[in-house]
Amino acid sequence: MSRSVLVSGGCGFLGSHLIDRLLRRSDLERLVVVDNLWTGTRDNIAHVTDPRFSLQVADAESFSSSQRFDEIIHLASPASPIWYMREPIRTIKANIGGALNLLTLLKPGGRFCFASTSEIYGDPQVSPQSESYRGSVDCTGPRAAYDESKRCTEALLFEQQRVSGLDVRVVRIFNTYGARTRMDDGRAISNFVIQALTTGVLTVYGDGSQSRSWGYVDDIVEGLERFFWRDSISHRGPLNIGNNQEVSVLRIAEFVSSLVPGSRIEHQPPVPQDPTNRCPDLTLARQVLPGWRAKTGYQEGIERTFEWFRQQIAAARM
């Protein structure tokens, strides 16, 4: 049976990788990407020539279509703190408004997939964080627009499942990095790589002891692909997807610095409410997606990411 799929935010970092996976499907009849190019870029999908693919430049919260879709994957939202803290109202609209609008474009019995985030756990009091952990979030803090709009969208979808039987898939994605990240993205690994390749000064906020679970994009997208459409599973989420090997920000900076002789690390004051730790409990993921794991170590993943950014910078200078 042929399927029509809509992806919001498909020109973004994660979205563009997911587009590549979707286009491998033999049952895919039509793939529509809705993206306002706020944080996504046309360059991320410039390689796509498949006739089933089309891009609609529009906001997820206002996009309209006479067509209804078998599957909708809602990714539209900035994921970097500097982007969502700069435009909080727009961030809330993208997540909640986007979900409310896109639900009207879903065929009866269709599947709605949502990319939630590990940020819904806030600055966690427990580690690792399991899906049952309710989090420690400041609903009026500087990250609230992103954290709370993701939490609210989860609530919206699971309530729709409860009252109308909506087929949902909700995944909580932990820190992800890799090729096709914006140069001005602002998150740690891309920041360090860009700084090492340009100024030679890597900025670490605070003492760098804050830890993250760094998931290489290929591993994360493999988990999303299996959960959203490839595996026949009944579980609807929320499901943690990430790397459960915690590494400090300082160690990441030191490794990136080692790739560029002469570069150095400079410490700046800590960022307000920067979570001290972030690590997924993957017990449920192992049950739902047997055999899946984030297998790429941070050194290998960073070396691949470093080479991609090096090529991008070289091309921009030509």
Side-chain angles (χ1 to χ4, degrees):
M1 185 174 67
S2 59
R3 311 283 286 175
S4 58
V5 180
L6 182 151
V7 178
S8 70
C11 294
F13 161 50
L14 270 182
S16 63
H17 286 278
L18 207 59
I19 294 304
D20 293 340
R21 303 291 182 114
L22 281 160
L23 290 171
R24 297 177 187 175
R25 288 174 56 170
S26 59
D27 67 342
L28 183 73
E29 179 181 43
R30 186 179 184 208
L31 174 58
V32 175
V33 164
V34 176
D35 200 303
N36 60 10
L37 305 178
W38 174 16
T39 58
T41 69
R42 290 181 187 270
D43 287 347
N44 283 345
I45 56 163
H47 63 284
V48 177
T49 58
D50 195 300
R52 298 172 295 174
F53 172 89
S54 65
L55 169 64
Q56 301 292 323
V57 179
D59 295 331
E61 61 268 29
S62 59
F63 173 72
S64 62
S65 172
S66 59
Q67 184 183 6
R68 296 296 177 264
F69 296 87
D70 297 293
E71 301 168 35
I72 293 177
I73 301 176
H74 183 26
L75 306 174
S77 171
S80 171
I82 65 167
W83 285 83
Y84 62 68
M85 290 168 72
R86 187 184 299 146
E87 297 192 67
I89 292 176
R90 199 174 178 190
T91 300
I92 292 168
K93 284 182 176 179
N95 281 294
I96 303 172
L100 286 166
N101 181 50
L102 296 175
L103 279 169
T104 68
L105 303 179
L106 190 67
K107 286 182 181 177
R111 176 175 294 177
F112 196 100
C113 304
F114 176 58
S116 188
T117 173
S118 62
E119 293 298 314
I120 72 151
Y121 298 122
D123 190 2
Q125 307 298 309
V126 301
S127 187
Q129 294 88 51
S130 70
E131 291 85 352
S132 62
Y133 177 56
R134 295 181 179 178
S136 176
V137 177
D138 180 357
C139 66
T140 61
R143 294 169 174 258
Y146 182 71
D147 301 357
E148 295 292 0
S149 62
K150 290 291 188 182
R151 286 162 68 101
C152 184
T153 305
E154 283 197 21
L156 164 68
L157 296 174
F158 283 115
E159 283 294 271
Q160 278 298 101
Q161 174 191 302
R162 181 178 65 83
V163 300
S164 68
L166 176 67
D167 181 7
V168 301
R169 295 289 185 279
V170 174
V171 65
R172 292 174 178 168
I173 303 171
F174 282 67
N175 299 74
T176 309
Y177 68 97
R180 303 186 196 163
T181 310
R182 292 179 64 107
M183 290 198 193
D184 57 356
D185 175 73
R187 282 173 287 185
I189 288 180
S190 58
N191 252 15
F192 293 152
V193 170
I194 293 294
Q195 289 173 333
L197 288 168
T198 54
T199 66
V201 180
L202 285 67
T203 306
V204 171
Y205 296 96
D207 61 7
S209 63
Q210 62 271 38
S211 61
R212 298 292 183 269
S213 303
W214 314 94
Y216 186 63
V217 63
D218 290 359
D219 298 331
I220 303 307
V221 172
E222 176 76 12
L224 299 183
E225 175 185 3
R226 289 185 57 182
F227 186 51
F228 284 168
W229 73 82
R230 203 175 87 202
D231 290 13
S232 297
I233 52 180
S234 58
H235 184 71
R236 297 183 173 188
L239 185 73
N240 287 340
I241 292 289
N243 188 336
N244 63 352
Q245 302 301 307
E246 247 178 313
V247 183
S248 74
V249 169
L250 182 59
R251 197 193 311 175
I252 296 293
E254 289 170 344
F255 180 72
V256 173
S257 181
S258 75
L259 300 177
V260 181
S263 63
R264 62 184 176 85
I265 294 170
E266 183 179 90
H267 289 266
Q268 295 285 349
V271 175
Q273 296 193 9
D274 190 17
T276 56
N277 67 95
R278 181 74 79 234
C279 182
D281 184 328
L282 297 177
T283 304
L284 186 57
R286 293 192 190 98
Q287 296 170 3
V288 173
L289 307 173
W292 176 82
R293 65 185 180 90
K295 60 183 182 294
T296 307
Y298 78 90
Q299 294 181 334
E300 178 187 352
I302 288 174
E303 285 172 348
R304 291 189 205 169
T305 306
F306 182 92
E307 180 58 24
W308 184 83
F309 273 115
R310 190 190 65 75
Q311 293 176 10
Q312 296 298 112
I313 290 172
R317 287 172 173 168
M318 289 177 64

